[in-house]
Amino acid sequence: MKNRKALIIVDAQNDFMPGGALAVPEGDEIISVINSLLPKFDLIIFTKDWHPYNHKSFASQHEDKEIYDSVDLNGLSQVLWPDHCIQDTPGADLHPGIDFGKINGDFYFFKKGMDPEVDSYSGFYDNGRKNSTGLKEFLDERGVAEVYVVGLALDYCVSYTAIDAAMEGFKTAVIEDGTRSISPDINEVLQNFHEAGVSFIESWELEMYNLVK
Ligand code: VGL
Ligand code: ZN
């Protein structure tokens, strides 16, 4: 029966936390929310941004370009970021405050952003939608019907992941207190959620409406 719920924790990695290479303001405030959610789900997916050192989304790989400039990367508009989440570096580790002891069910890691020629904001597909991480099939095989998404950053990887989840047919909610954005203006993100049928809820609502155990 297809009725399971999964928690997707997007890129809760050191480089996105205050002090990290691509710090999201207040990014570490999501950790206590994540820890309170962990025991409520029997299937948990952690995505990890996992770039080679020469990833073309890094401003350092382009001459005469600054961080936050936009370039054309193989036909896609690409924001240039500081070097971040380089494979096997401490910045790519999950935040040490995540309490794995609170997990009762199964948890899995999905890595993304390994191809230096294309960025991958979503946990499902690269930005060119050419390659898949296999997450959709993974969730389908486990009977998942609903996904709840938290993590960083709301306006990039969380948003792309949630909208892809909804497009793949999962009932999808982003948990507001479990995420933070790079930009203070999230109106466009909320509009996109609305259009994609992604709900934007607060973590207390999960218990209030008996959405989880
Ligand atoms: C992200 C920018 C670049 C994210 C990842 O996790 O939101 N943002 N790489
Ligand atoms: Zn990245």
Side-chain angles (χ1 to χ4, degrees):
M1 174 137 160
K2 202 168 186 273
N3 62 357
R4 288 178 85 196
K5 301 169 209 280
L7 178 66
I8 304 181
I9 302 173
V10 175
D11 301 0
Q13 292 161 281
N14 290 325
D15 271 341
F16 297 118
M17 303 292 167
L22 179 37
V24 179
E26 304 174 351
D28 55 342
E29 291 182 16
I30 70 170
I31 299 301
S32 61
V33 177
I34 289 173
N35 284 337
S36 71
L37 292 171
L38 292 178
K40 302 184 204 291
F41 288 85
D42 57 15
L43 180 59
I44 299 175
I45 308 294
F46 291 90
T47 71
K48 284 188 184 183
D49 212 30
W50 196 250
H51 296 308
Y53 76 94
N54 60 347
H55 197 272
K56 296 257 181 65
S57 72
F58 296 168
S60 63
Q61 301 301 306
H62 301 260
E63 270 176 41
D64 308 320
K65 294 287 174 201
E66 310 278 342
I67 289 167
Y68 304 125
D69 283 352
S70 278
V71 295
D72 177 288
L73 181 56
N74 302 311
L76 297 174
S77 172
Q78 174 68 52
V79 178
L80 296 180
W81 304 109
D83 293 11
H84 65 277
C85 295
I86 296 175
Q87 297 169 6
D88 298 309
T89 64
D93 286 345
L94 292 177
H95 187 287
I98 296 173
D99 187 354
F100 284 83
K102 288 198 152 66
I103 300 180
N104 303 316
D106 298 326
F107 62 94
Y108 300 89
F109 300 98
F110 279 75
K111 293 174 176 171
K112 61 187 181 63
M114 287 85 89
D115 180 349
E117 297 296 333
V118 64
D119 213 349
S120 198
Y121 294 149
S122 162
F124 291 88
Y125 301 100
D126 67 66
N127 292 3
R129 306 190 69 80
K130 287 206 179 73
N131 284 299
S132 136
T133 60
L135 180 54
K136 177 202 157 33
E137 294 72 19
F138 185 92
L139 296 174
D140 280 344
E141 281 161 16
R142 284 160 184 77
V144 171
E146 292 178 30
V147 302
Y148 293 84
V149 187
V150 296
L152 301 173
L154 172 64
D155 36 355
Y156 288 93
C157 293
V158 169
S159 164
Y160 276 62
T161 299
I163 288 170
D164 275 353
M167 286 186 12
E168 294 297 357
F170 300 104
K171 184 179 172 202
T172 306
V174 171
I175 301 176
E176 184 171 1
D177 43 330
T179 185
R180 290 292 186 280
S181 59
I182 294 175
S183 165
D185 178 5
I186 61 163
N187 283 314
E188 196 182 319
V189 173
L190 297 183
Q191 182 63 32
N192 292 340
F193 284 170
H194 182 72
E195 283 164 15
V198 172
S199 34
F200 197 53
I201 66 171
E202 291 183 47
S203 58
W204 62 264
E205 295 182 67
L206 290 171
E207 269 110 11
M208 188 69 156
Y209 304 121
N210 292 315
L211 295 171
V212 290
K213 56 188 169 189

